[in-house]
Amino acid sequence: MNEVQSFLGGMFGTRAVEIVAVLCGLANVLLIIRRSLWNYPFGLVMVTLYAWIFFNARLYSDSILQVFFFIIQLFGIVWWIRGRNCGGELMVRKLPVRQLQITAAVAVCGIAAMGGVMANWTNAALPYPDAAVMVLSVVAQMLLARRFVENWVLWIIVDVIAIGVYVAKDLHPTAALYGIFLILAIAGLLDWRRAAERQGEEA
């Protein structure tokens, strides 16, 4: 029983603020899959709490990243409100090939640059995988705010890399949590693809 409690504590946190942050995160993702605008209140609370949690843990890069997520979610609210049809349904779209190529190039360059900085200027244990998680998370969040289906592909990649990183560092509960996020991301990709196809037929 103690081992189960320890595992769950490692996955969801033992402090009330961590538990609330995780629950808000799960609610946020589930509502995003359903293309509900109500995902944003949960998302804003989640990133605010994690900014505080990471700052107190002296994980300053992660804390700053939450500030970016907060700002992009504010833009996301506006873009999602403007991106609804007359029936109130969120219109999702596929990334044009040219933009997809540019996005991929930016992501690769960003990972190379950030990984290089971490490898040469810090004592990061896994500089390039760590950089990949950070850079791809930023790009995925921007695509999500702009209602592009491909945001889920990036979140799947992020989750797979993160699981590998956390397993390598013996952070198994956190890896399990990202396993849950991976399943949700796959569900999100399938749901948004169906919505994009249906909305394309209706257009």
Side-chain angles (χ1 to χ4, degrees), residues 12 64 88 102 108 149 193 197:
F12 298 111
I64 293 172
I102 294 173
V108 170
V149 173
R193 276 183 174 174
E197 292 171 0

Side-chain angles (χ1 to χ4, degrees), residues 17-126:
V17 65
E18 292 177 66
I19 295 172
V20 172
V22 169
L23 292 177
C24 284
L26 292 173
N28 172 247
V29 175
L30 289 170
L31 288 168
I32 289 172
I33 292 173
R34 296 174 60 85
R35 304 182 305 285
S36 170
L37 188 64
W38 286 101
N39 84 83
Y40 281 106
F42 290 99
L44 291 171
V45 171
M46 175 188 67
V47 298
T48 300
L49 292 178
Y50 272 121
W52 185 83
I53 290 169
F54 290 143
F55 183 82
N56 281 275
R58 293 184 296 177
L59 297 171
Y60 301 124
S61 295
D62 287 325
S63 184
I64 293 172
L65 186 60
Q66 303 310 306
V67 175
F68 168 82
F69 285 154
F70 188 94
I71 294 171
I72 200 66
Q73 286 194 55
L74 293 179
F75 282 102
I77 293 173
V78 176
W79 290 330
W80 276 42
I81 290 175
R82 291 178 177 175
R84 307 179 84 79
N85 60 21
C86 56
E89 181 184 16
L90 182 73
M91 301 296 290
V92 298
R93 49 195 177 153
K94 294 183 179 180
L95 199 62
V97 174
R98 181 59 178 167
Q99 286 184 254
L100 181 60
Q101 293 171 338
I102 294 173
T103 300
V106 169
V108 170
C109 291
I111 292 169
M114 181 63 69
V117 169
M118 289 185 179
N120 293 297
W121 298 96
T122 74
N123 62 348
L126 300 166

Side-chain angles (χ1 to χ4, degrees), residues 121-139:
W121 298 96
T122 74
N123 62 348
L126 300 166
Y128 287 97
D130 196 19
V133 170
M134 179 179 179
V135 172
L136 293 179
S137 293
V138 169
V139 177

